[in-house]
Amino acid sequence: MEQIMWALFTMTAGVFGCVAYFFVANRVLDAALPARGENAGRNINRANAIRPWLFLFPALAVLGIYLVYPVLNSIWLSFTDASGTRFVGGDNWRWLAGDEKFRESLGNNALWLIVVPAASTFFGLIAAALTDRIRWGSFAKALIFMPMAISFVGASVIWKFVYDYRGEGSDQIGLLNAVVVALGGSPEAWITTPFWNNFFLMVILIWIQTGFAMVILSAALRGIPEETIEAAVLDGASPLQIFWRIKVPQIWGTIAVVWTTITILVLKVFDIVLAMTNGQWGSQVLANLMFDWMFRGGDFGRASTIALVIMLLVTPIMVWNIRNVRKEERR
Amino acid sequence: MSASNAIAGRSPALAWAVHLSVVLLVVLWTIPTAGLLISSFRDRDQISTSGWWTALAPAERNLVARSKAPDAARQEGGEWIIEGNVFDEEEGAGTVTAFGVSSRSPTAFAPGDVAERGDARITVQADGQYRIASEQQPEGRRGTRLFVTSKEPPRWTVENYRTVLFSEGIGRSFLNTMTVTIPATVIPILIAAFAAYALAWMEFPGRALLLAVVVGLLVVPLQMTLIPLLRLHNSIGIGKAYLGIWMAHTAFGLPLAIYLLRNYIAGLPREIIESARVDGATDFQIFLRIVLPLSYPALASFAIFQFLWVWNDLLVATVFLGNNEDQLVMTGRLRELLGSKGGEWEILAASAFVSIAVPIAVFFAMQKYLVRGLLAGSVKGG
């Protein structure tokens, strides 16, 4: 309870601190460069040049210290030894190129990158198209969307109950094996079977992300001009043709956005692998490998190198996003 | 409403297919969570021997009971009798469907049958009453082993929740998570709002560049920042403490906050802001009196995002907080349970549900704002 009080106190102090900062900074500026007297015109111009930076200062300071500086520092760290102090040149990168686990992670990440965004977007698109047509659609949407609110670790516990494996002959308490046995198959240890276990871990993320894709794509589908659809109806197009040939091509832009957003998430995914397998049984991924080297390996140089690989993989999407926003701004 | 509805309406078969597909999707997407919820209310023995979907059906249970010790035997008509109930030592009641007297054939006899073992005649009734009769006075110190198969009515219990909340440390972790989440949700909002206003309505050189930087920072992997920040915190003496994680979460939430709020604030009608300027209001006044109140929906959207993200976060908490009792957050605790107590299903299920209940409640209560925020926050394409 005591620490909740501390939290509330910090929150209040933080909010009041912010307000006080902005208030005092503005007052000081107004006092230093008064908008009256002989230099009124010059003062107003100067004050207007300074004021944006007063507004921006706290945000820029926090972003600078907590995001920009660490990124630059990580680049440096990737050229240092385990303690992050001695320059070792390209040693970490050479080690990385030859590391078995790294190759495994890279391969698995490639799989994740292909399967998860594609499947989530696909299911999201289907769910959006179907739920938009029925009266209880918003209720259905809410239920499909709900996993978004669940933490990756919580989701892992949920799916542990689905994937659980008991030896052949005993009662299965995992849903998947129960279904398999009921259909006449024999139970499998889904999570510990190398290679295929990757897909069962991916299912968890697809389960979480489909709702996100659905919500965005559903809004895009509703934004399609009616005339194009009416024209297709008049031309005698079937509902399926209308969907795939008329509607989907008009929302390519949004599909790309959904796809890239999920792609970024996939590159950073770590909780699911950590909680379900911790990278055993051939299921390691980059983010968890990095975590492993940081915490268990205690090697800051190698961990930073792996982080940098993730960063490099994200960079193309980052550039693409920035270009899109700039295009938007110019319009 | 739209032409597509008209098509669906025209073909009843298609309409049915649509309804059925949506039902299927919804079932597939909710069943895993439902399984967890049901499991968390089940008895600990039943949870690990039968699937949660059998929760309503009576459960079959095998138990090995030991009769009372031989010195409890009383003489009755030339025989020594030991009587009792197999359910006495095990809590709960059930119906015996079979019993046996050796581990090789534990279901050899139907209730009421008489099994012979040595010179003893043993019988177990359906209600669990057993009777062991022998001509000689029984010897030894331990009772006879009875193998019983029973059908038990489903048992529902809140015991699991009581256990995790008060003795497994989840209650404590709940408070820790709250401690992390509340300031980490509120503090970035104000900082971001001022910055967003400056980026939207104030003219200064470098504005476009700053916006591009913010958009770029949106996707920076947290992994890039962890080690330098950990070293920074250690070197300036914050170490692993709440202050550090509040700052970290504030920073990680800022790019999205600034981006979301800027898009919203830039979309406010120009006339309102211009006329306020003409009336002599300063930017500070415009921001506090006009922009902030009008931006309430965007502020709510971001607050929900940040709340869900911080509440559900494992990575940042693991790195910036310690593992001790007064710092371990719920996701961290769950992860520990998954590792060390993977077999204690009832603890796992109840703990998981305690940790996901809050975000789910927030989700259903504020879904509208969440959706609005998602639509505004995803970088628009094309």
Side-chain angles (χ1 to χ4, degrees):
Chain A
M1 237 41 240
E2 191 190 336
Q3 66 190 54
I4 291 277
M5 297 313 291
W6 263 113
L8 288 174
F9 173 76
T10 314
M11 184 188 85
T12 324
V15 169
F16 273 101
C18 272
V19 174
Y21 158 79
F22 288 115
F23 187 73
V24 170
N26 268 287
R27 267 295 170 80
V28 168
L29 188 65
D30 288 339
L33 299 167
R36 54 182 185 276
E38 48 189 298
N39 293 329
R42 201 193 62 183
N43 280 356
I44 288 175
N45 283 343
R46 282 193 184 171
N48 280 346
I50 295 174
R51 205 179 307 273
W53 299 102
L54 290 182
F55 276 58
L56 285 166
F57 173 72
L60 293 184
V62 174
L63 287 179
I65 298 173
Y66 274 83
L67 282 170
V68 179
Y69 154 74
V71 167
L72 299 177
N73 193 222
S74 272
I75 298 175
W76 160 250
L77 283 174
S78 75
F79 294 103
T80 64
D81 65 352
S83 62
T85 46
R86 198 171 54 83
F87 183 78
V88 293
D91 278 7
N92 291 322
W93 294 90
R94 265 190 294 281
W95 160 79
L96 201 62
D99 188 55
E100 200 54 42
K101 269 291 181 190
F102 174 70
R103 263 185 240 160
E104 176 193 313
S105 310
L106 215 53
N108 286 341
N109 259 119
L111 271 183
W112 281 76
L113 282 179
I114 295 167
V115 175
V116 176
S120 308
T121 313
F122 177 76
F123 285 123
L125 187 61
I126 300 295
L130 292 177
T131 49
D132 278 344
R133 285 169 157 243
I134 56 179
R135 219 178 289 159
W136 54 289
S138 55
F139 174 72
K141 273 207 188 91
L143 288 178
I144 297 175
F145 193 29
M146 183 196 65
M148 259 303 269
I150 297 176
S151 62
F152 290 142
V153 191
S156 301
V157 176
I158 289 176
W159 283 85
K160 193 178 155 65
F161 278 78
V162 175
Y163 290 145
D164 184 68
Y165 164 75
R166 298 288 156 105
E168 197 153 359
S170 48
D171 275 344
Q172 298 295 335
I173 72 166
L175 184 61
L176 185 57
N177 271 324
V179 170
V180 167
V181 169
L183 294 177
S186 53
E188 296 280 346
W190 309 108
I191 288 307
T192 55
T193 315
F195 186 68
W196 297 109
N197 54 5
N198 281 306
F199 294 94
F200 292 105
L201 297 185
M202 288 178 210
V203 165
I204 304 176
L205 193 56
I206 295 170
W207 177 71
I208 294 176
Q209 287 302 311
T210 295
F212 161 75
M214 175 190 70
V215 166
I216 306 261
L217 294 173
S218 156
L221 282 175
R222 268 181 276 141
I224 293 176
E226 279 298 312
E227 304 85 64
T228 57
I229 298 159
E230 274 157 23
V233 171
L234 288 181
D235 289 344
S238 75
L240 272 182
Q241 281 176 321
I242 291 179
F243 182 67
W244 290 112
R245 302 253 180 94
I246 310 288
K247 288 186 171 178
V248 170
Q250 294 195 60
I251 58 167
W252 272 129
T254 312
I255 291 179
V257 169
V258 170
W259 194 291
T260 50
T261 309
I262 300 178
T263 300
I264 290 168
L265 187 82
V266 168
L267 279 171
K268 297 193 259 184
V269 77
F270 122 100
D271 320 40
I272 294 177
V273 176
L274 178 74
M276 294 295 277
T277 65
N278 197 8
Q280 290 168 285
W281 306 296
S283 64
Q284 190 65 289
V285 293
L286 288 175
N288 194 43
L289 186 68
M290 186 264 169
F291 186 80
D292 226 32
W293 275 108
M294 179 167 73
F295 265 93
R296 285 201 310 184
D299 190 323
F300 286 173
R302 288 180 178 183
S304 297
T305 313
I306 301 167
L308 206 58
V309 172
I310 303 176
M311 180 75 203
L312 288 176
L313 290 171
V314 171
T315 306
I317 298 177
M318 188 195 257
V319 172
W320 189 73
N321 276 352
I322 293 176
R323 286 177 57 174
N324 271 341
V325 168
R326 303 204 81 158
K327 224 192 300 171
E328 194 105 326
E329 286 306 302
R330 245 173 268 132
R331 224 182 281 156
Chain B
M1 176 187 81
S2 67
S4 51
N5 283 348
I7 304 159
R10 220 178 286 161
S11 156
L14 187 69
W16 272 109
V18 169
H19 279 284
L20 281 179
S21 318
V22 175
V23 168
L24 185 73
L25 272 176
V26 168
V27 166
L28 275 177
W29 253 256
T30 45
I31 263 198
T33 319
L36 181 79
L37 179 60
I38 294 172
S39 296
S40 71
F41 284 108
R42 296 183 72 205
D43 180 80
R44 63 173 293 159
D45 295 318
Q46 298 194 338
I47 215 174
S48 57
T49 53
S50 61
W52 56 265
W53 53 93
T54 62
L56 283 178
E60 193 162 83
R61 188 155 77 118
N62 299 313
L63 55 103
V64 182
R66 210 172 259 288
S67 71
K68 284 176 194 152
D71 56 13
R74 60 192 160 74
Q75 217 168 0
E76 194 181 290
E79 283 187 321
W80 293 86
I81 309 286
I82 302 174
E83 276 182 325
N85 193 310
V86 290
F87 294 120
D88 277 352
E89 45 186 293
E90 304 274 333
E91 83 259 25
T95 316
V96 176
T97 54
F99 75 97
V101 290
S102 81
S103 56
R104 260 169 298 152
S105 48
T107 57
F109 303 96
D113 283 0
V114 177
E116 303 213 350
R117 187 160 176 271
D119 72 331
R121 281 172 290 114
I122 304 171
T123 178
V124 179
Q125 304 294 339
D127 62 358
Q129 280 293 335
Y130 65 85
R131 177 189 164 94
I132 304 171
S134 55
E135 317 219 315
Q136 313 277 309
Q137 181 170 9
E139 285 172 1
R141 283 186 298 129
R142 310 185 65 187
T144 314
R145 280 198 299 169
L146 299 168
F147 298 86
V148 174
T149 305
S150 69
K151 271 230 183 304
E152 303 193 343
R155 291 204 297 271
W156 297 87
T157 171
V158 291
E159 197 54 44
N160 304 335
Y161 283 96
R162 204 169 293 152
T163 312
V164 299
L165 283 180
F166 300 113
S167 59
E168 283 289 334
I170 286 285
R172 178 73 216 209
S173 289
F174 193 89
L175 288 184
N176 295 346
T177 299
M178 291 275 270
T179 309
V180 173
T181 312
I182 300 170
T185 305
V186 176
I187 294 176
I189 293 181
L190 208 59
I191 299 181
F194 273 100
Y197 174 77
L199 286 172
W201 290 107
M202 293 165 105
E203 298 288 341
F204 60 93
R207 193 170 80 158
L209 180 71
L210 264 185
L211 188 64
V213 169
V214 168
V215 172
L217 290 177
L218 268 177
V219 299
V220 165
L222 290 187
Q223 279 82 0
M224 284 294 280
T225 67
L226 301 178
I227 295 173
L229 288 182
L230 199 58
R231 285 157 59 110
L232 179 75
H233 280 175
N234 284 336
S235 68
I236 60 175
I238 295 179
K240 295 197 166 193
Y242 283 110
L243 182 61
I245 196 170
W246 289 330
M247 291 301 293
H249 273 307
T250 298
F252 300 153
L254 265 186
L256 179 68
I258 297 176
Y259 182 67
L260 261 183
L261 292 175
R262 194 214 78 105
N263 279 356
Y264 191 88
I265 293 174
L268 293 176
R270 177 169 288 273
E271 301 80 53
I272 300 182
I273 287 156
E274 303 267 283
S275 64
R277 281 212 177 116
V278 171
D279 289 347
T282 65
D283 279 310
F284 187 65
Q285 288 164 334
I286 295 174
F287 174 78
L288 272 193
R289 305 241 173 91
I290 299 173
V291 172
L292 214 50
L294 283 178
S295 312
Y296 169 71
L299 297 176
S301 293
F302 171 73
I304 296 163
F305 268 121
Q306 181 75 353
F307 175 85
L308 290 179
W309 149 246
V310 175
W311 187 280
N312 288 337
D313 159 78
L314 171 66
L315 182 60
V316 179
T318 318
V319 175
F320 293 108
L321 281 182
N323 236 351
N324 45 342
E325 193 59 17
D326 56 358
Q327 288 193 337
L328 189 58
V329 293
M330 244 176 334
T331 46
R333 177 83 65 177
L334 265 188
R335 185 209 149 197
E336 257 183 17
L337 286 177
L338 263 171
S340 66
K341 300 193 170 172
E344 294 188 26
W345 294 84
E346 76 286 355
I347 302 283
L348 204 53
S351 309
F353 213 81
V354 169
S355 98
I356 66 180
V358 173
I360 285 190
V362 168
F363 169 83
F364 279 118
M366 315 281 273
Q367 214 195 128
K368 191 176 75 184
Y369 293 108
L370 185 67
V371 171
R372 211 182 278 171
L374 270 184
L375 293 176
S378 50
V379 179
K380 293 187 204 72

